[in-house]
Amino acid sequence: MALHLVGEHIDKARSHYQAETGKLVQIMRGIYVDTDDDVDAMVLRHAVRIARYLYPKAYLSAASAILLGPTRDGRLFLSGRRSQRTRIRALEIIQNEAPKQPSTGSAVVDDGMGEFRVDVSSIRQRFLEAFRLRSEHAASIDETARESIAARLIEEYGNAKSAADAVWALARENEWYREGEQSERFLLRRPASALVRNEAALNRIVAWHGAPIGNLVHDGFEWRWLPIEAGGPALVRQTTPGKLPPFIMSLLPEGWLEAVLHDRDERAMLRSGKRYMSNISIVEQQSELAALPPDLLLTRLDRYTADGVFTGTYAGPGRSVIEESFERNLAQIYEHADTPRLSGIQVKAPMHLDANGMLSPSTDTPFTHILKPAAKGGFEALPLIEWMALALGRAVGFAVPATALIAMPDGMPPALLVERFDIRESVADKRMFALEDLCSVLNLPTAAKYDGTIERVARAVRSLSTAPEEDILIIFRRALFAWLIADGDMHLKNMALLKTVEPGDKQFSAVRMAPLYDAVTTRVFPRLARDRLALKLNGKDDRLTRADFRTLASTVGLRVADADRAIDDMIARMTRAADELALPKLPDYGPEGEAVAARMIDICRTRIEAFA
């Protein structure tokens, strides 16, 4: 592998013969490379040697005098007797007319074929070249390089005034008066009294389980994710240059909480909070991380639950005696930056359950449970319906987080309390958990959460799961369950992968479908009586039959016999669960609470009978 220059490394006759016999490739008159070589790479590697061969009286100038080689985009800058451009494969030699009295020096270059000397612009001349008008040579010397050359001149001549005088002397010899003025102004300029910065810019440290994993930077125009090479798994990925990484996007508030925070955009959201789901913290200074409480599940909800009802003490907001709404009072806890931010449209709040059964907002305490209060406008029974849906899910064999209905103060309808399943369970537990919803997995914005299909979800999960066959079956059963309970809200943000990594590992030890969450029979609520599935399967989102699910099974790689067994098993379990499910005993389920619950069971029975 070598460069062959006629008259230096090979004679004319031999080069012609070897080119004719296929041993050499001619890239320009007098310049050859071996046939098996990467020609572009060879030309760039030996660019200076080629330029010296072609233009022996020219010298390296501008950026090439600094680099002693071509720029990263393959340009080599020379100054000589005339202005011209020469293209040799990946190399472009750009020559401008040299001044009448050039100031040059000698440099040593070694390109792998031995050392050789080449003339280059002196430090003074490079500085003048940087200020030439409408010059590609000048444009090749950026602000950083100018600063470096200026510092070198000041060091050589003792001070900026003497350096400017020395540069001016060369400028006058060559009648480069404008260049001399610009150079002097640059050398003698007074430094700015204060650094001017764009206040809209943002630089935040992203930490996972309290350990920094990268920086999230916005310069006022676009986002950049700068990961820290810590040796752990790649949790955050910037899949689209300039855009917020989808995993971070999936953590940001939406719906009710987005309106409460009055944040204008993603930057404002990230400035207003520090704690997020998936054990993520986003802070300005690393010292802030130590002050944030780690999310540890030290008190289990089951300890303070009896027959589906929370038996601890609720210490959260209620309705105000001065007629402030519950939502307004709940919103006040989000005025604290330490209050965890939650995604999702539904009204909800991060809570902490302590060892004495006290349930309070997790402003400066571990975030262990999620409170989902009743909504307005006919959705007062939403917590009850979600409790029932999750109870049915548990009965048919899904992993489901612990839940309880909680009696609320001031005559409000019951709320739902859900235990987190993505956090550590003790101080000694060193596992690291991350919950990534399918919007993030599929690299889709939150607004596109209804745009996928069950088949697309299955394909994505199969490629990531550490137990793909089991998870594909779970996805199949989740789709069937959503149809049987008439859940029109099982969109891409209501399904997720739970990722686990052991201390010191570089890869996730487990990537599995997360437990069932946010399941609800939507058809029992106002204006949703004809609600369809959020995600299509077999091209349909309504009037689904066993045949549709058998087709789904074939598409996602399940055996039809296994699909039939899964359907029969769920039908049998759902039939028993629908007959046995009893409402927890609470004083007030709100307007038509029990009637809505009865309608939910009727819908489930109707769909079960259609599949039986």
Side-chain angles (χ1 to χ4, degrees):
M1 297 178 63
L3 179 74
H4 305 277
L5 302 176
V6 174
E8 291 190 11
H9 311 107
I10 192 171
D11 60 57
K12 184 176 181 181
R14 187 179 178 190
S15 64
H16 180 73
Y17 172 75
Q18 292 194 7
E20 287 291 323
T21 56
K23 294 181 179 180
L24 296 181
V25 174
Q26 184 180 34
I27 59 174
M28 194 172 184
R29 184 175 181 180
I31 305 174
Y32 296 83
V33 296
D34 293 339
T35 303
D36 296 334
D37 285 346
D38 181 336
V39 179
D40 286 344
M42 289 292 291
V43 168
L44 290 174
R45 182 179 182 184
H46 302 295
V48 177
R49 189 181 293 272
I50 291 171
R52 190 189 65 158
Y53 177 78
L54 294 174
Y55 310 109
K57 294 185 178 182
Y59 57 89
L60 296 181
S61 58
S64 294
I66 301 170
L67 300 171
L68 297 181
T71 59
R72 293 185 66 179
D73 58 1
R75 294 179 299 162
L76 187 75
F77 294 94
L78 303 180
S79 291
R81 289 182 295 181
R82 64 180 65 88
S83 295
Q84 62 182 15
R85 305 173 82 96
T86 305
R87 168 70 73 174
I88 308 174
R89 301 297 290 261
L91 173 67
E92 185 176 22
I93 300 175
I94 303 170
Q95 185 175 177
N96 69 357
E97 187 174 350
K100 297 177 182 178
Q101 301 292 331
S103 173
T104 62
S106 179
V108 179
V109 175
D110 189 340
D111 58 0
M113 292 179 61
E115 291 185 357
F116 61 95
R117 289 192 170 271
V118 62
D119 289 338
V120 301
S121 293
S122 69
I123 300 293
R124 287 188 302 156
Q125 184 160 310
R126 289 176 214 172
F127 201 52
L128 288 170
E129 289 169 350
F131 296 98
R132 300 227 68 189
L133 185 64
R134 293 187 294 274
S135 167
E136 193 171 352
H137 282 59
S140 72
I141 303 176
D142 61 18
E143 190 70 16
T144 302
R146 288 185 187 185
E147 292 283 1
S148 177
I149 297 172
R152 168 66 177 77
L153 287 168
I154 292 170
E155 181 183 13
E156 179 177 352
Y157 293 99
N159 56 61
K161 181 65 171 62
S162 298
D165 290 343
V167 173
W168 249 118
L170 180 60
R172 280 191 291 268
E173 288 180 15
N174 292 287
E175 299 180 356
W176 282 9
Y177 300 116
R178 179 188 175 279
E179 290 83 352
E181 290 174 358
Q182 294 290 333
S183 300
E184 182 182 44
R185 186 176 296 119
F186 192 93
L187 284 164
L188 299 181
R189 75 197 188 285
R190 296 182 63 184
S193 57
L195 180 65
V196 178
R197 66 182 300 271
N198 180 7
E199 296 297 332
L202 176 144
N203 188 335
R204 288 292 188 272
I205 298 170
V206 179
W208 184 34
H209 285 280
I213 59 173
N215 282 73
L216 197 59
V217 179
H218 193 280
D219 59 7
F221 175 67
E222 64 180 6
W223 289 101
R224 281 186 299 148
W225 168 246
L226 307 175
I228 296 174
E229 299 298 332
L235 178 62
V236 180
R237 308 172 305 279
Q238 188 168 27
T239 53
T240 303
K243 300 297 183 183
L244 195 65
F247 180 77
I248 301 295
M249 177 68 77
S250 71
L251 303 175
L252 298 184
E254 53 180 320
W256 173 81
L257 181 53
E258 184 179 11
V260 162
L261 295 173
H262 302 296
D263 292 329
R264 297 181 302 278
D265 56 19
E266 299 158 350
R267 295 175 303 103
M269 289 183 193
L270 289 167
R271 279 193 172 106
S272 69
K274 300 178 182 179
R275 300 168 63 194
Y276 298 84
M277 293 288 290
S278 292
N279 304 284
I280 294 292
S281 304
I282 303 178
V283 297
E284 185 174 9
Q285 303 292 335
Q286 189 165 340
S287 57
E288 298 176 68
L289 294 174
L292 299 179
D295 293 338
L296 295 173
L297 186 62
L298 301 181
T299 304
R300 305 303 293 258
L301 180 56
D302 290 345
R303 181 177 171 187
Y304 292 97
T305 302
D307 298 324
V309 177
F310 177 64
T311 59
T313 303
Y314 174 72
R319 289 194 180 115
S320 171
V321 293
I322 57 172
E323 296 186 356
E324 285 189 316
S325 69
F326 169 76
E327 287 82 0
R328 182 183 179 91
N329 290 335
L330 183 61
Q332 291 177 0
I333 73 171
Y334 287 102
E335 294 176 0
H336 300 275
D338 289 355
T339 300
R341 270 44 179 165
L342 304 177
S343 63
I345 298 297
Q346 189 178 355
V347 178
K348 60 187 72 169
M351 307 296 285
H352 171 64
L353 180 62
D354 68 17
N356 298 316
M358 182 74 71
L359 184 69
S360 57
S362 60
T363 298
D364 54 4
T365 53
F367 170 26
T368 60
H369 294 78
I370 299 173
L371 179 73
K372 296 184 174 185
K376 297 179 179 178
F379 291 88
E380 290 81 2
L382 182 58
L384 171 62
I385 297 303
E386 185 172 346
W387 181 90
M388 293 177 64
L390 293 176
L392 288 174
R394 191 178 293 109
V396 300
F398 289 115
V400 179
T403 59
L405 289 171
I406 177 170
M408 296 293 285
D410 307 322
M412 291 187 294
L416 178 68
L417 191 61
V418 182
E419 189 163 86
R420 289 186 65 183
F421 52 78
D422 62 332
I423 57 176
R424 294 168 175 168
E425 299 178 358
S426 71
V427 175
D429 188 356
K430 300 301 180 184
R431 293 173 299 168
M432 300 174 73
F433 300 96
L435 189 69
E436 183 173 12
D437 65 45
L438 266 297
C439 257
S440 173
V441 170
L442 294 173
N443 190 26
L444 293 173
T446 299
K449 61 187 178 183
Y450 291 98
D451 292 352
T453 65
I454 297 298
E455 290 87 349
R456 187 180 180 188
V457 168
R459 284 195 301 271
V461 171
R462 181 178 288 280
S463 66
L464 297 172
S465 172
T466 52
E469 298 305 322
E470 295 178 31
D471 279 337
I472 295 301
L473 182 57
I474 289 174
I475 292 169
F476 177 84
R477 297 179 71 246
R478 286 281 296 272
L480 177 59
F481 181 70
W483 171 250
L484 292 177
I485 69 168
D487 182 356
D489 203 39
M490 193 185 74
H491 49 66
L492 295 175
K493 285 190 70 65
N494 282 343
M495 290 187 289
L497 292 175
L498 182 60
K499 302 181 176 182
T500 308
V501 64
E502 300 294 335
D505 287 355
K506 295 183 179 181
Q507 300 293 332
F508 289 105
S509 57
V511 178
R512 298 296 311 276
M513 281 297 294
L516 178 69
Y517 64 92
D518 284 0
V520 63
T521 300
T522 54
R523 286 205 172 197
V524 299
F525 295 108
R527 301 182 300 280
L528 297 178
R530 298 182 182 278
D531 202 24
R532 298 166 177 261
L533 286 184
L535 304 177
K536 289 185 178 181
L537 63 89
N538 194 30
K540 299 169 63 176
D541 56 11
D542 199 12
R543 302 182 184 278
L544 298 177
T545 65
R546 181 183 285 258
D548 293 312
F549 283 93
R550 297 180 93 218
T551 301
L552 171 65
S554 298
T555 303
V556 301
L558 289 176
R559 292 186 302 178
V560 174
D562 292 339
D564 282 333
R565 278 193 295 272
I567 293 171
D568 293 339
D569 176 70
M570 184 170 292
I571 293 298
R573 294 192 188 199
M574 282 279 289
T575 301
R576 292 193 301 270
D579 292 337
E580 297 171 359
L581 185 61
L583 295 180
K585 292 181 171 52
L586 283 170
D588 184 9
Y589 281 116
E592 298 187 349
E594 294 187 21
V596 172
R599 286 204 300 274
M600 172 187 173
I601 295 299
D602 287 343
I603 290 172
C604 292
R605 285 187 174 131
T606 299
R607 294 198 169 185
I608 290 168
E609 290 170 2
F611 262 78

